[in-house]
């Protein structure tokens, strides 16, 4: 599929601070694409340059093959939904949605039809005559979404649209937003610092850090095969180990030494040779927690440790296990009735087991990363 919205070598500086640094990014027509990263990473600046609220110091922005860099916001076929809703408090829901079509000089009949369609789309037909102050936060956000969609933009920009809502409401609106996207079929660009939101709604994600893009890909690829330690740590939780390759088992697997772990088997996700220093990421849910030393296959790894912390979440329990200098996080899913079982508790000695395929090699070892790549204490 051809690129629909393209940022080509865009850079944006504010004084001595570079918010976006030589970014090239292609977004496809009709996909839901998330810009994900911590505060100050450049994701909102990139969104503002797509909307026309900000201009790149270098580079161009293209939409559907046309250079839109010089166009002001009102001349771009792009609309934005903000975290703050930005509704007109003195206008009804219906008049808020009708505002754009009136500016565009639609006929009264076209306006009425368009507003009715949007009220149906966001399930607010019974609330068209209410003022924003009479609505819940979730309903206000749906009005903002309807107002942004009524003019049928080519791209809808969503800037942290659910950040002001509580968890249950965010989860419900994510499902509704995904259904609305499927119905209208236009390109959604979703800006968020919330990994769960990005993972659940996106076709693809761009993870940003310090003004550059660390990785672009589908959620599963970003999670399972991160390109850097930053991506691995930012998307969910992970355990980092560093060690040295001691043996090449075959073309796919190697053996390496990790302090306090001894010799473990790893999958050669990166090209490695005997003597190389490596970084390894192991997600908590990949680790099996056992009171007894488990039976092992040639591709299994196991290490003994002591439980330092236990957090029960209902659907699962998280364990922090001290293994020498390493503090490992493991996650046990509760697939059976737990009151009939005796689970590991604080102070217990346990074994952590994982398959060589379940670790993932990150970028080659760098001396400046020494001591950095361990999971932070809970």
């Amino acid at each position: 599929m051809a690129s629909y919205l393209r940022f080509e070598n865009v850079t944006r500086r504010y004084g001595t601070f570079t918010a976006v640094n030589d970014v090239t990014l292609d977004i496809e027509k009709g996909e839901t694409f998330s810009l994900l990263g911590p505060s100050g990473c450049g994701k909102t600046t990139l969104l503002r340059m797509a909307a026309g609220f900000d201009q790149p110091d270098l580079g161009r922005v293209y939409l559907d093959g046309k250079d839109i860099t010089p166009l002001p916001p009102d001349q771009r076929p792009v609309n934005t939904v903000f975290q703050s809703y930005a509704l007109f408090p003195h206008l009804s829901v219906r008049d808020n949605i009708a505002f754009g079509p009136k500016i565009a000089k639609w006929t009264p009949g076209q306006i009425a039809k368009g507003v009715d369609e949007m009220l149906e789309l966001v399930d607010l037909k019974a609330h068209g005559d209410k003022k924003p102050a009479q609505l819940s936060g979730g309903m206000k956000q749906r009005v903002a979404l309807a107002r942004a969609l009524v003019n049928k933009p080519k791209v809808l920009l969503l800037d942290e649209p659910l950040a002001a809502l509580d968890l249950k409401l965010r989860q419900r609106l994510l499902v509704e937003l995904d259904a609305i996207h499927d119905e209208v079929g236009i390109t959604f660009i979703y800006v968020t610092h919330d990994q769960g939101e990005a993972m659940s709604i996106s076709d693809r994600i761009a993870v940003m850090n310090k003004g550059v893009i660390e990785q672009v890909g589908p959620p599963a690829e970003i999670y399972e095969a991160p390109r850097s330690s930053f991506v691995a740590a930012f998307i969910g939780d992970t355990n980092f180990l560093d060690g040295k390759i001691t043996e090449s088992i075959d073309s796919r697997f190697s053996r390496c030494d990790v302090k306090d772990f001894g010799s473990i088997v790893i999958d050669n996700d990166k090209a490695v040779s005997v003597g190389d220093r490596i970084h390894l990421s192991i997600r908590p849910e990949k680790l099996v927690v056992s009171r007894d030393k488990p039976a092992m296959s040639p591709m299994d790894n196991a290490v003994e440790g002591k439980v330092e912390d236990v957090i029960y979440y209902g659907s699962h329990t998280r364990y922090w296990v001290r293994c020498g200098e390493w503090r490992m996080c493991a996650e046990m899913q509760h697939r059976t009735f737990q009151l009939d079982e005796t689970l590991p508790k604080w102070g217990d000695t346990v074994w952590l087991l994982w398959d060589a395929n379940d670790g993932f090699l990150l970028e080659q070892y760098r001396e400046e990363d020494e001591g950095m790549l361990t999971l932070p204490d809970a």
Side-chain angles (χ1 to χ4, degrees), residues 123-143:
D123 195 23
L124 288 174
K125 287 185 69 177
H127 304 280
D129 295 324
K130 292 182 179 179
K131 300 289 179 63
Q134 298 173 279
L135 305 177
S136 67
M139 293 167 73
K140 289 176 185 176
Q141 196 56 280
R142 280 188 275 162
V143 176

Side-chain angles (χ1 to χ4, degrees), residues 50-329:
F53 300 138
D54 211 342
Q55 289 292 316
D57 297 302
L58 298 170
R60 316 299 293 176
V61 181
Y62 298 91
L63 177 58
D64 200 14
K66 180 181 179 181
D67 185 355
I68 62 170
T69 313
L71 297 181
D74 62 338
Q75 293 183 26
R76 299 188 183 199
V78 172
N79 278 341
T80 306
V81 176
F82 300 98
Q83 175 185 338
S84 60
Y85 317 129
L87 301 177
F88 299 113
H90 62 290
L91 297 181
S92 68
V93 167
R94 182 175 292 276
D95 288 338
N96 263 282
I97 298 172
F99 183 81
K102 287 178 180 177
I103 294 296
K105 295 182 170 46
W106 289 18
T107 67
Q110 290 173 325
I111 292 172
K113 181 181 178 183
V115 171
D116 285 342
E117 288 175 351
M118 288 300 106
L119 288 172
E120 179 77 27
L121 181 68
V122 299
D123 195 23
L124 288 174
K125 287 185 69 177
H127 304 280
D129 295 324
K130 292 182 179 179
K131 300 289 179 63
Q134 298 173 279
L135 305 177
S136 67
M139 293 167 73
K140 289 176 185 176
Q141 196 56 280
R142 280 188 275 162
V143 176
L145 186 63
R147 187 179 62 180
L149 287 172
V150 69
N151 283 53
K152 296 181 170 55
K154 289 187 175 181
V155 177
L156 183 67
L157 308 175
L158 300 113
D159 188 7
E160 304 265 12
L162 309 182
L165 306 176
D166 63 61
L167 176 61
K168 288 286 187 181
L169 187 53
R170 286 203 309 271
Q171 292 172 338
R172 194 181 82 204
L173 285 182
L174 276 172
V175 175
E176 293 179 6
L177 191 60
D178 192 40
I180 288 170
H181 173 263
D182 291 343
E183 187 163 340
V184 299
I186 68 172
T187 304
F188 280 17
I189 302 179
Y190 195 95
V191 164
T192 183
H193 65 275
D194 187 298
Q195 304 96 313
E197 285 185 14
M199 295 280 284
S200 62
I201 200 171
S202 306
D203 297 306
R204 289 190 303 149
I205 299 171
V207 182
M208 296 192 68
N209 180 33
K210 297 180 180 178
V212 300
I213 293 175
E214 294 260 349
Q215 186 172 352
V216 178
E221 179 182 303
I222 296 273
Y223 185 81
E224 296 286 355
R227 289 184 185 169
S228 68
S229 54
F230 174 83
V231 174
F234 192 78
I235 303 292
D237 292 324
T238 196
N239 300 282
F240 290 109
L241 298 174
D242 56 67
K244 182 178 287 187
I245 300 293
T246 58
E247 178 188 352
S248 177
I249 298 174
D250 54 34
S251 61
R252 183 174 174 185
F253 296 98
S254 295
R255 189 172 292 279
C256 72
D257 276 342
V258 175
K259 184 180 179 182
D260 297 325
F261 275 51
S263 181
I264 65 171
V265 182
I266 63 169
D267 194 313
N268 298 337
D269 303 298
K270 305 284 187 295
V272 292
S273 302
V274 172
D276 285 349
R277 301 287 297 277
I278 57 98
H279 284 329
L280 185 68
S281 167
I282 310 170
R283 298 290 186 184
E285 70 274 11
K286 310 294 187 186
L287 295 170
V288 176
V289 183
S290 174
R291 291 176 177 276
D292 303 312
K293 186 173 183 179
M296 295 172 58
S297 75
M299 291 297 104
D300 282 338
N301 297 294
V303 63
E304 190 176 27
K306 181 169 287 190
V307 177
E308 286 193 337
D309 282 297
V310 181
I311 299 181
Y312 176 76
Y313 289 97
S315 64
H316 64 279
T317 295
R318 281 209 159 187
Y319 296 91
W320 279 264
V321 180
R322 174 64 61 183
C323 305
E325 71 172 29
W326 308 98
R327 181 176 160 90
M328 303 291 287
C329 180

